[in-house]
Amino acid sequence: MGVRYSFGGDEHLFVECSEEMSLDAFFKSLSMSGGVRDSGIRGVTEICPANASLQVKFDPDVISPDDILKEVKAIEQAAEKAEPVIHTRIVEIPVFYNDPWTHETLMRFRERHQDPSGTDLDYAARINDYGSVDDFVAAHSGSPWFVSMVGFVAGLPFMYQMVERQRQIQVPKYLRPRTDTPKLTVGHGGCFGCIYSVRGAGGYQMFGITPMPIFDPTQTTSYLRDFMVFFRPGDIVKFKAIGRDAYDQAVEDVAGGRFAPPIREVSFDLREFRRDIDGYNAKLEGVLNGN
């Protein structure tokens, strides 16, 4: 399909780049969002990029719906010609897989799950044809993920695995949502990974937990003092499996203001990525490790 435009009430223009998620659709959404931001269209008050779409909020007393549509369509044409390169950052996120807190929670809600006899990791490993949970964890943490949007609840990142489509982890959501999910749970639903920024209801499969806060409205966390939300669309995430001792140490370091997530600035070229996905991912990991 081509780009589809529709209005939401009197103040929103919705731009649907594709009916399905893909890196192409994500890059177009990101490029158009940047184009709207950089163009400084008079009357635009907010831009919200999503996985394969974006929404533009505008003041109809300043710019008419017909004019905002014309402006954004012109930006779409420019985005079609733009090079698929973004300047972003890659960040390492520690994950305690199969931790006791998500395990206790998932066991309380087994009647809402497709396979009450096992854990979420057991189920995900089996339906994705991995021989063991360890093999599944290695695949989950072995390749980077794009943050394709941030939202649903404050600071929650949706992440898209950067591998060939046939290798992407696919796991359905719970049959019925839970009424509880531990804060900072690393979850998965459909083709998307996420990190629950706050405790609350949820339906994604639970794989583990990170000690790294990603949302802090008090802005007292050392690396969140400038802005309360850590992630932004276009970020690249590399998970790192850790054990209980490393988790406890990281929690202590966060509380003491000593924790600093490894972050590196990087340029990502979609064309080079497609030519050699594994090689390009290895290069990204090398940048993260300072090589």
Side-chain angles (χ1 to χ4, degrees), residues 7 54 67 99 108 149 174 182 188 200 243 268 284:
F7 287 100
L54 64 143
D67 286 341
D99 65 281
R108 281 193 281 124
M149 65 173 283
Y174 274 45
H188 198 96
F268 180 87
L284 288 173

Side-chain angles (χ1 to χ4, degrees), residues 21-24 26-27 30 51 84-90 143-150 157-163 168 191-194 231-239 266-270 273 280-281 284:
M21 176 59 195
S22 67
L23 287 179
D24 287 304
F26 164 64
F27 263 72
L30 203 62
N51 299 317
V85 178
I86 59 172
H87 301 287
T88 184
R89 58 184 185 167
I90 182 168
S143 60
W145 300 68
F146 256 123
V147 175
S148 54
M149 65 173 283
V150 180
F158 286 84
M159 296 174 286
Y160 189 71
Q161 195 177 20
M162 294 166 57
V163 293
Q168 286 179 342
C191 70
F192 288 108
C194 82
F231 286 111
R232 52 196 185 219
D235 280 347
I236 300 173
V237 170
K238 183 66 171 58
F239 294 120
V266 67
S267 291
F268 180 87
D269 189 318
L270 183 59
F273 171 79
Y280 199 86
N281 285 344
L284 288 173

